[in-house]
Amino acid sequence: MLKKLGVFIFLILLSGCSHINNTSNMPTISINDTHEFEVTIADSNEERMSGLQHVSDLKNNEGMWFVFDAPQVLSFWMKDTLISLDIIFVNENLEIINIAENVPPCREASPEQLFCESYFSDEPASYVLEINGGLSEELGILKGDVIKLLNFEDAV
């Protein structure tokens, strides 16, 4: 009986350790090996067009990773987005080329009012990371920082 109790306690302790070193299977972006964001991947035209529209809450460790077929000067807008975002433009070498910080939502009162400001990459970009508005400044994320893709094998 004591042996079974010892094994049971060991298993409970072991299961508790899995929370200490949480290895999520979600695609994850790492910036400078310091900041990690679990991301939803938008790699089709439909997914890229809808982006984070109508999302009312985004955790500080979450974001959306947009993937484009070829490097190009990219333009993003915030139509029907409910929260402020940082739009991080990334080149094909996975380096941040510029950041549109704390971009406000653009919710139109009627379909006749279709103007939402656009935000552009400074040079051709292959990717965009969107995270909560103001988080880039808070975390010290800057132009030139390097991104690593983690757990992307099954996601793309």
Side-chain angles (χ1 to χ4, degrees), residues 26-31 33 39 41 65 67 90 92 94 127 146-153 156:
M26 286 283 299
T28 302
I29 300 294
S30 171
I31 301 177
D33 293 323
V39 295
I41 298 173
W65 181 248
V67 179
V90 180
E92 62 189 336
L94 298 175
Y127 311 99
V146 178
I147 289 179
K148 287 185 183 174
L149 309 178
L150 310 173
N151 301 323
F152 270 66
E153 300 80 30
V156 181

Side-chain angles (χ1 to χ4, degrees), residues 44-117:
S44 71
N45 283 334
E46 184 177 280
E47 292 168 333
R48 288 187 294 255
M49 286 178 64
S50 61
L52 290 172
Q53 288 180 334
H54 309 291
V55 172
S56 60
D57 185 49
L58 190 63
K59 294 179 183 171
N60 281 344
N61 69 331
E62 295 177 334
M64 181 166 271
W65 181 248
F66 296 81
V67 179
F68 294 87
D69 297 329
Q72 57 194 294
V73 173
L74 297 174
S75 171
F76 271 59
W77 68 342
M78 298 287 286
K79 181 158 178 30
D80 295 327
T81 304
L82 305 177
I83 57 176
S84 295
L85 296 171
D86 286 352
I87 304 171
I88 302 172
F89 296 96
V90 180
N91 68 17
E92 62 189 336
N93 298 321
L94 298 175
E95 297 169 340
I96 296 174
I97 53 179
N98 67 293
I99 304 170
E101 293 186 52
N102 217 13
V103 176
C106 183
R107 291 170 280 189
E108 304 305 326
S110 68
E112 294 82 31
Q113 299 174 340
L114 293 177
F115 177 76
C116 290
E117 187 174 347

